[in-house]
Amino acid sequence: MDVASTPPIRDESKDVSIPQEALSRTPSATLEGNVTFRFRPFSGIYNDIRARAPYYLSDWIDAWNYRVIPAIVLIFFANVLPGIAFSLDLIETTQQYGVAEVLLSSFMAAFIFSIFGAQPLCIAGVTGPITVLNKTIFDIIEGQSDAPDYLQFIGWVYLWGAILHWITAALNWCNFLRYVTLFSCDTFGFYVSWVYLQYGVQVITRQFPGPSSSASSQTLDGAFVGIILALLMLVTSYLFRTASRSSLFHRHVRRFLADYGMPISLIASSAMAYWGRFNHANPNTLPVGRAFQPAGGRSWLVKFWQLDGKWVGIAFPFGFALWVLFFFDHNVSSLMAQGSDFPLRKPPGFHYDFFLLGITTFIAGLLGIPAPNGLIPQAPIHTTSLLVMGKTSKKDIERALALASNSATDPQGSGSIKVTTSVEDNPDGISRIHTRRSHLHMPHIAEKLEPDPTQSHDGQGDERRHEVPVAVVEQRVSNLAQGSLCLVLLTGPFLHVLSLIPRGVLAGLFWYMGADALEGNGITRKLLYFLRDKALTPADEPLRKVRRSRILLFVAVQLAGFGATMAVTQTIAAIGFPIIILLLVPLRTFVVPRLPFTEEELSILDGPTASPFTMESVGGSI
């Protein structure tokens, strides 16, 4: 998978190949020693393009791998359907958007980032936060006596946001990401997970007939069938996932269930709606419009330049809020898609991609479609689906032992990543490398695949797995293909198929994706530590070194940030929720270290989101 022309050196904290070119082409930072900053406008964009350009051809050639096929299928269903479901409230409230706008937004983002982007693994599309922002703007301006045209006003909001995006990229402000640790990512991911669960409930409750609903469109029987379909979707998806992580069947069968379990569940649950008495209940399905036609019969071009000058100025603070949201949301999605658990070999490009995000935001305002940005949890799910699993060789063992003896901390000298490596000879003749990282916040990919059903004893806990991630199929085809499928859905026949999907199935999809993301979240993992049987907790579990009161204090601060964000989004002040999310970063940087934590405890409870190889693009980690 490594296509670098020169021999790579090894990142000792993560055992990831780092091309020599990637190290030499960034004058603003080094991976060892102190980080040196130089204010050079556009240098971040230039360095990102220069570092990624040598890999552009291999990004297409490397797609000749079977892992790309299940990645396309999984991300297509995980992207387009939640995007449409998130937009249902916006569609029904504003009457300015339709399914066509959502599909076109997803295609535009996939096309631009897969063809031109430096981080094609990051999936962009329509998210819950942007629909909340757009709906809040609609509620605010529609309450005015001289309310402007909504799409023209949004066009200026997006234009102001795009300008701020371009300024950010030009002035290298993405270097601020070096302060973003797992504290902020876990808190934001926890919020997004609960947004998914909440939207699932909202999809269900809106199917019940109300005072303003017609008997033909919403019936009590149809609402109850929607609940059954949602539970069916949730349960079957979890059954497939559980089987893929069990000791049942052959490992290739388990891998098939992991790749296609969710799409199979969605198709099967949708088909159940047309079987027997379920069909007679007439459950609500997705609303669709005409092929390639925007909502309300308007033209695709929004003439936002015709907006009255008064509202142009008013649109700026809303554009600022959009910029804050996308700065955190998109970049965190990129970080999580390139997390330290993924053995990536190609350099990132945060500055350049954020410049491209400004272009997609501007185009979205011009066409009157929701602005796309990075998706959580779809982005890390995409990278996970592209993992290549394998067994460690004797050469890998010798190298790991050498690295472990030479360096026990990360090159930044922060002490936030500690590696302990050992070798175990097993009856099957395979020597396995046991690697423990001190921050256990990101999902353990190796522990979710290929289980080794050995008996656990006190102090051993969950045994290591036979196979570990050895590579990621880093390419551009899967992102482009899933976006192209969104464009295919805009044709008449496929729009009809889309209209057959019951809303209850989408609710179950929300619950499954939210629960799955919640299960792997760092906050949840720390809370579950208190409930775990100590006899099944590994003796080298890093959390054993942290006082239980300090774990609770750390989690309490994260939950306070989550609660504030969730509370604000439920009010008319939801326009300001991006500010609260961004404040998580200075909270971690300036406030948390003043709390009664030791340096060792903080290094265990928190850590960098991505490896030093990935963070090198923004000047390294703190």
Side-chain angles (χ1 to χ4, degrees), residues 1 59-75 259-260 382 385-388 473-482:
M1 302 299 299
D59 286 339
W60 300 101
I61 297 176
D62 291 347
W64 189 255
N65 189 299
Y66 171 73
R67 294 305 318 155
V68 173
I69 298 176
I72 293 172
V73 176
L74 179 63
I75 293 303
D259 290 337
Y260 300 104
H382 181 225
S385 65
L386 292 168
L387 278 173
V388 177
V473 185
E474 301 177 62
Q475 40 71 49
R476 299 174 181 270
V477 172
S478 58
N479 195 353
L480 178 61
Q482 68 88 20

Side-chain angles (χ1 to χ4, degrees), residues 60-180:
W60 300 101
I61 297 176
D62 291 347
W64 189 255
N65 189 299
Y66 171 73
R67 294 305 318 155
V68 173
I69 298 176
I72 293 172
V73 176
L74 179 63
I75 293 303
F76 171 67
F77 283 100
N79 178 15
V80 62
L81 293 179
I84 294 174
F86 271 129
S87 303
L88 285 178
D89 188 25
L90 184 66
I91 292 172
E92 296 172 353
T93 301
T94 65
Q95 302 295 320
Q96 301 288 331
Y97 297 108
V99 172
E101 282 83 349
V102 178
L103 294 175
L104 185 60
S105 177
S106 298
F107 165 73
M108 176 191 67
F111 179 83
I112 290 180
F113 283 104
S114 62
I115 299 292
F116 305 104
Q119 301 170 136
L121 293 181
C122 182
I123 300 297
V126 179
T127 65
I130 188 60
T131 58
V132 171
L133 187 68
N134 278 15
K135 184 178 180 299
T136 305
I137 293 175
F138 178 83
D139 293 336
I140 292 175
I141 66 172
E142 287 300 313
Q144 307 301 315
S145 57
D146 56 342
D149 180 85
Y150 173 72
L151 290 181
Q152 290 182 3
F153 184 79
I154 286 292
W156 273 102
V157 171
Y158 285 3
L159 177 58
W160 285 122
I163 292 174
L164 292 173
H165 280 61
W166 298 329
I167 293 175
T168 300
L171 299 183
N172 309 323
W173 287 352
C174 286
N175 286 332
F176 178 76
L177 294 176
R178 66 191 302 265
Y179 297 98
V180 177

Side-chain angles (χ1 to χ4, degrees), residues 27 29-30 33 37 51 74 90 128 141 144 150 167 186 225 230 284 304 366 417 423 461 495-496 564 572 614:
T30 59
F37 289 98
L74 179 63
L90 184 66
I141 66 172
Q144 307 301 315
Y150 173 72
I167 293 175
D186 284 342
V225 169
N284 283 350
F304 63 88
L366 198 62
I417 303 178
V423 178
L495 275 179
H496 175 70
I572 193 63
T614 300

Side-chain angles (χ1 to χ4, degrees), residues 26 133 143 157 166 204 269 277 306 308 475 622:
T26 305
L133 187 68
V157 171
W166 298 329
I204 289 295
S269 301
R277 298 188 63 180
Q306 296 180 353
D308 185 68
Q475 40 71 49
I622 59 172

Side-chain angles (χ1 to χ4, degrees), residues 574-585:
I575 193 69
F577 83 94
I579 306 297
I580 297 179
I581 294 174
L582 191 64
L583 288 177
L584 293 173
V585 179

Side-chain angles (χ1 to χ4, degrees), residues 309-378:
K310 163 190 171 183
W311 293 102
V312 170
I314 295 176
F316 178 77
F318 295 98
F320 179 82
L322 174 73
W323 168 74
V324 172
L325 173 62
F326 279 11
F327 181 83
F328 191 89
D329 197 355
H330 183 81
N331 286 314
V332 167
S333 299
S334 299
L335 284 172
M336 296 180 69
Q338 302 171 99
S340 53
D341 280 334
F342 301 122
L344 301 175
R345 297 176 182 271
K346 298 181 181 180
F350 293 94
H351 306 278
Y352 173 62
D353 271 19
F354 200 68
F355 179 84
L356 290 182
L357 188 66
I359 294 178
T360 60
T361 302
F362 171 71
I363 296 176
L366 198 62
L367 298 179
I369 61 179
N373 73 300
L375 298 174
I376 300 175
Q378 288 88 339

